[in-house]
Amino acid sequence: MSNDSDITGWPEKIRQRYENYLKTSFFFKEASLRKSFEKALREEGQLMKGPFPEEQHGFVQGSLASSIVAECFPDRSDDLLAALIKAPLYQHQEQALCTTYVKKQNVVVATGTASGKTESFLYPILFELYQQYLSGKLKEPGIRAMILYPMNALANDQRERLGEICRQLHDARSEFKPTFGQYTGQTPKDNRDHNRNATLRGDDRQHGELVFRNEMRDNPPHILLTNYSMLEYLLIRPEDSPLFDGNRGTFWQFIVLGARP
């Protein structure tokens, strides 16, 4: 993850994210069609052109994320640092983090493209999960945060961001191990659910990710990604009640409402 002040490699990252968006929006069950589609996406001028750089926006910089961690968790920040960007946060990111995590207030973030809206809501969640990890509460079962998107493709992008964060924590040998899961109509019930491409989803499992419905029902992830339509089913279907019933809602604190880009 990176702010605009660190633009190295951004054209390729933007292109890769758009490729992922298209591959999830237009998924072909036939392997040969998937390979052909992916090949066409990679060839310049076939299905995509660019991206073309434009002038950077003048977002005001704030403090380093590491400085905020050190202030919030004196002498206990090491296990969280690997999950955070090295560049300074933007001022609106810092304000969102302090208002949400420190002051426990709701926020609405409305800002430009590539201005770090994800960090604005994800960092308060990570800070809260880290606090629970330090206090031993993260071991208790239950969802802590639900992130809602109007489109599966947006949830897919967030899934990869969370997977990257968990990978960075793993590579740094951090004992802080948050979990997440994406629960949509495309989520397989278990590893035998071939109608929902269970084998492919299992092979593509990210660090810290729960990929099957049954494993999320048995042990809900700390962060749940879904869409508005699926949320209605989750709240009324008896088989999904284990996600929220009993004491599993004790530590639930965040609901993030994502909008179209």
Side-chain angles (χ1 to χ4, degrees):
M1 294 185 297
S2 173
N3 276 344
D4 276 352
S5 56
D6 178 16
I7 62 172
T8 304
W10 258 112
E12 182 57 34
K13 292 178 183 177
I14 292 172
R15 185 182 180 94
Q16 185 60 55
R17 287 183 186 176
Y18 189 53
E19 284 185 20
N20 293 337
Y21 168 83
L22 292 176
K23 284 188 287 188
T24 53
S25 298
F26 305 97
F27 182 82
F28 299 96
K29 290 187 177 181
E30 178 60 46
S32 61
L33 290 177
R34 285 202 307 272
K35 291 181 180 179
S36 177
F37 184 51
E38 292 171 4
K39 181 175 182 293
L41 287 176
R42 289 192 296 268
E43 293 180 356
E44 180 68 25
Q46 291 293 315
L47 296 178
M48 292 198 304
K49 292 184 179 180
F52 303 105
E54 63 179 33
E55 184 178 352
Q56 285 184 261
H57 300 286
F59 299 115
V60 179
Q61 288 189 346
S63 304
L64 288 168
S66 56
S67 299
I68 301 175
V69 173
E71 184 176 343
C72 292
F73 309 104
D75 304 321
R76 300 295 303 274
S77 62
D78 289 351
D79 276 338
L80 179 59
L81 290 175
L84 308 177
I85 59 176
K86 303 300 186 291
L89 297 178
Y90 292 133
Q91 194 172 81
H92 61 268
Q93 293 173 319
E94 181 179 355
Q95 290 173 341
L97 173 56
C98 293
T99 302
T100 306
Y101 174 72
V102 179
K103 298 180 181 179
K104 308 300 183 184
Q105 296 178 358
N106 298 327
V107 298
V108 175
V109 179
T111 183
T113 301
S115 61
K117 289 186 286 294
T118 293
E119 287 78 14
S120 297
F121 69 77
L122 192 55
Y123 279 17
I125 294 173
L126 287 174
F127 273 50
E128 176 62 28
L129 294 180
Y130 190 64
Q131 176 61 54
Q132 292 185 22
Y133 155 72
L134 293 177
S135 64
K137 295 178 181 178
L138 198 60
K139 298 177 182 178
E140 299 294 328
I143 295 169
R144 271 64 171 178
M146 178 182 290
I147 303 177
L148 292 166
Y149 284 106
M151 302 167 59
N152 282 346
L154 299 176
N156 291 337
D157 180 67
Q158 199 59 241
R159 166 185 169 265
E160 294 190 0
R161 298 285 293 276
L162 287 167
E164 178 63 16
I165 286 174
C166 291
R167 184 196 64 78
Q168 291 170 338
L169 290 169
H170 175 269
D171 290 350
R173 299 185 179 181
S174 171
E175 292 299 318
F176 173 47
K177 296 179 173 62
T179 61
F180 68 96
Q182 183 179 358
Y183 202 128
T184 69
Q186 300 171 356
T187 302
K189 179 180 179 180
D190 51 36
N191 59 5
R192 298 183 299 275
D193 189 353
H194 301 302
N195 289 330
R196 295 189 181 96
N197 307 296
T199 301
L200 188 64
R201 287 291 288 112
D203 291 343
D204 192 38
R205 185 190 294 264
Q206 307 280 316
H207 282 284
E209 183 183 20
L210 306 180
V211 299
F212 302 126
R213 298 184 183 202
N214 281 354
E215 63 181 348
M216 283 186 257
R217 291 166 180 163
D218 291 340
N219 187 22
H222 300 132
I223 302 173
L224 183 70
L225 302 170
T226 188
N227 57 54
Y228 300 113
S229 298
M230 180 54 67
L231 177 59
E232 182 176 359
Y233 290 109
L234 294 178
L235 294 176
I236 63 176
R237 288 193 307 209
E239 61 265 35
D240 290 318
S241 61
L243 287 167
F244 313 106
D245 280 356
N247 62 356
R248 290 187 169 187
T250 302
F251 300 103
W252 192 351
Q253 186 170 344
F254 297 94
I255 297 180
V256 179
L257 306 178
R260 293 177 181 271

